[in-house]
Each structure stands twice: as structure tokens, then as C-alpha cells.
Amino acid sequence: MALVTMKELLSVAKDKNYAVGAFDTLEYITAEAIIRAAEKRNTPVIVMVMPMSLDDPNADAFMGYLTERCRRSSVPVALHLDHSPTYEACVKGIQYGCTSVMFDGSSLPYEENVRITKKVIEAARACGVTVEAEIGHVAGHEGNMLEGNVADPDAYTTVEEALRFYKDTDVDCLAVAIGTVHGVYKGTPKIDYERLDAIKKELPIPIVLHGGSGLGDEDYKKLVAHGINKINFYTAMTLAGAAACKQYIEETPRFQFTDVIAAGQQAEEAVVDHHIEVFGTLSVLS
Ligand code: 13P
């Protein structure tokens, strides 16, 4: 169908009260699993790449494949650059054909986060590209994905900060810190729904949840009911793929490499499929 901007997908999701799943991929197999799951459900999806993939010597081939695959998809797909640490990385994402980029200045002083976000927005808008930013800080994307992370309430987003940031930047959508973490949880996640409600009441733009893995189906449904319109998801999908490969190897006497990959890909596709359903993403025909 089309490679579309994230703004288009999220404005419908906001109107109709559902979330669009945004799944990270570092390679072709997972990208295919994500897009296939969305095609089978006939729903929109967001495919996310990481800045490190754009710095890879094979970035041209990978991004060429991804943009073409999204374009040829039977459902609307936004190709999003996740967690860009710099303006330059965002520009690179735009040059590679991403239809949205996230500038993550959540660890920077407020004024610096605003300054660079505005600069990214200026470049992105000139190219028709959506911009996501983060205020407050979702813990755990500093390389400890599998070790277990705990949310830091001191870094949660405040209503005042979210509103001020929106007014200062005019960003298209905003990631907030309300109790989730990137990667595996140490302990039980505790979402601050009161904080989410207060932010939702004030903020006129779609709200993004990072650290989607590790919650229960009821949590996702509740998060969507309380106004989340984009859910970022990676760890549980990649762990399911790895576990399926391991199980296949243990249970199958003779196999070739492609059989192992197919087993992992199927498991990833099943995880994406399940979450698209739980997030309430509506079919493109509805
Ligand atoms: P998880 O790996 O915890 O699902 O988080 C993904 C994410 O938020 C990417 O931005």
C-alpha cells in the first residue's frame, strides 16, 4: 500500500482510541516478520530502525530493502528512526528514507533538548517527516537490555514539563516516562496511570510509550484506554525469536540454517500479531 508518515498513522489512532505497535529491527528477518504480521491482520504498523544500522557499512542495502518493502506492503507502514542521539543522526535517517525520526534528548538539560528538537523539526518538516521526542527519561536503553532494569520515579515525566516542551517545540508526538523500562524488568512494573491521565488531559498530541515489553495484556489495554497511541516494542519479540531457534535446534535431529531462521521468524511474527491485537490497532478497512 504505502510508506506513510507516523503522523498520519497516529492521528487516526488518536481519533479512534487505539495504539499502533512500533517494533524495532536490526536485520531483514525481523523486518519481514513485523510487516507480514501487519499484512495478515490488515493493520498499519511502525517499523523502527536504530541509528547503529545507519552507520553500518551495509546501511545502503538494508535501508534500500526496507524502504522498498514498506512501499510494497499491502498495509500502511511508517519507517521510523528510534532513539537518535544527535541532529546529524536524524538527518541521516531522513536521507535514508525514514518517514519519522525520534530525537532522544531525554538525558540532556531541558533547554538543550528543546534546541536540538526544534532544529530536527525544521529539517524534518521540510521533508514531510514526523518527529518524536522524549521528556522525562525511560530507563534501560544504555546497553543493559537483558540484565533487568528498574524505573526511576525521579525521571518520570511531569505534566508541566510535557506541556512546556510541547509549547516550546511543537513536536508531533511525545514519549513519556510513566513507569516502564527498556529491556527486561527487575521486579514488577508499576505504571503511574494517574500521571498518564494528567498528561493526556493537557497534551493535544499523540503520547508514546517506550519499553513495551514485559507488561501483561491487561496493562496494554489499560494503557491504550488511558490514551497511549504508540507502543514501542522489541525485547520480548527478539527473546521469543531466540527461544524458538533454541527449541527448534534441541528438538530437531537434522536441519539446515534456514530452518532455524524460519522457526525464529515465525515466533517473532506471532509476538507481533498478538500485540497488534492487544493494542487494539484497527484494520485499514475500518
Ligand atoms: P522494549 O525492548 O522494552 O520492548 O522497548 C523497546 C523500545 O522502547 C524501543 O524504543
Side-chain angles (χ1 to χ4, degrees), residues 17 21 36 62 80 86 150 167 207 214 220 258 275 279:
N17 304 311
R36 267 188 220 163
F62 183 51
H80 175 77
T86 60
V150 251
K167 285 184 176 161
I207 303 174
Y220 297 122
T258 47
H275 287 86
F279 298 166

Side-chain angles (χ1 to χ4, degrees), residues 110 135 157-168 195 198-199 202-203:
Y110 178 85
I135 196 79
T157 310
T158 65
V159 189
E160 298 73 27
E161 212 177 29
L163 190 60
R164 182 173 163 217
F165 188 83
Y166 164 66
K167 285 184 176 161
D168 283 348
R195 187 179 295 263
I199 296 170
E202 295 297 326
L203 213 60

Side-chain angles (χ1 to χ4, degrees), residues 143-186:
N144 46 359
M145 187 185 102
L146 298 180
E147 280 169 27
N149 293 295
V150 251
D152 171 12
D154 288 343
Y156 286 2
T157 310
T158 65
V159 189
E160 298 73 27
E161 212 177 29
L163 190 60
R164 182 173 163 217
F165 188 83
Y166 164 66
K167 285 184 176 161
D168 283 348
T169 61
D170 189 32
V171 72
D172 296 309
C173 56
L174 192 64
V176 295
I178 52 167
T180 56
V181 300
H182 291 97
V184 171
Y185 284 87
K186 204 181 266 175

Side-chain angles (χ1 to χ4, degrees), residues 113-145:
N113 191 358
V114 167
R115 187 183 70 76
I116 305 175
T117 302
K118 282 172 79 171
K119 206 168 144 193
V120 170
I121 290 173
E122 196 183 343
R125 293 239 165 106
C127 306
V129 167
T130 308
V131 177
E132 174 184 329
E134 179 169 327
I135 196 79
H137 180 68
V138 179
H141 59 85
E142 293 85 8
N144 46 359
M145 187 185 102

Side-chain angles (χ1 to χ4, degrees), residues 21-126:
F23 303 90
D24 285 292
T25 181
L26 296 167
E27 32 66 29
Y28 299 78
I29 306 296
T30 301
E32 204 53 43
I34 298 164
I35 298 171
R36 267 188 220 163
E39 286 179 328
K40 284 186 191 159
R41 282 209 167 264
N42 200 24
T43 57
V45 75
I46 299 164
V47 174
M48 303 198 292
V49 291
M50 297 297 290
M52 70 173 110
S53 294
L54 308 187
D55 293 333
D56 187 89
N58 292 313
D60 287 4
F62 183 51
M63 292 307 290
Y65 151 77
L66 263 186
T67 46
E68 184 52 25
R69 180 65 183 87
C70 295
R71 233 174 248 129
R72 282 194 295 107
S73 166
S74 62
V75 292
V77 185
L79 183 57
H80 175 77
L81 179 63
D82 201 13
H83 289 293
S84 314
T86 60
Y87 167 79
E88 289 73 17
C90 290
V91 169
K92 204 171 192 180
I94 296 168
Q95 285 168 336
Y96 267 123
C98 289
T99 54
S100 70
V101 294
M102 176 198 190
F103 170 66
D104 182 358
S106 62
S107 298
L108 298 175
Y110 178 85
E111 298 299 344
E112 193 62 357
N113 191 358
V114 167
R115 187 183 70 76
I116 305 175
T117 302
K118 282 172 79 171
K119 206 168 144 193
V120 170
I121 290 173
E122 196 183 343
R125 293 239 165 106

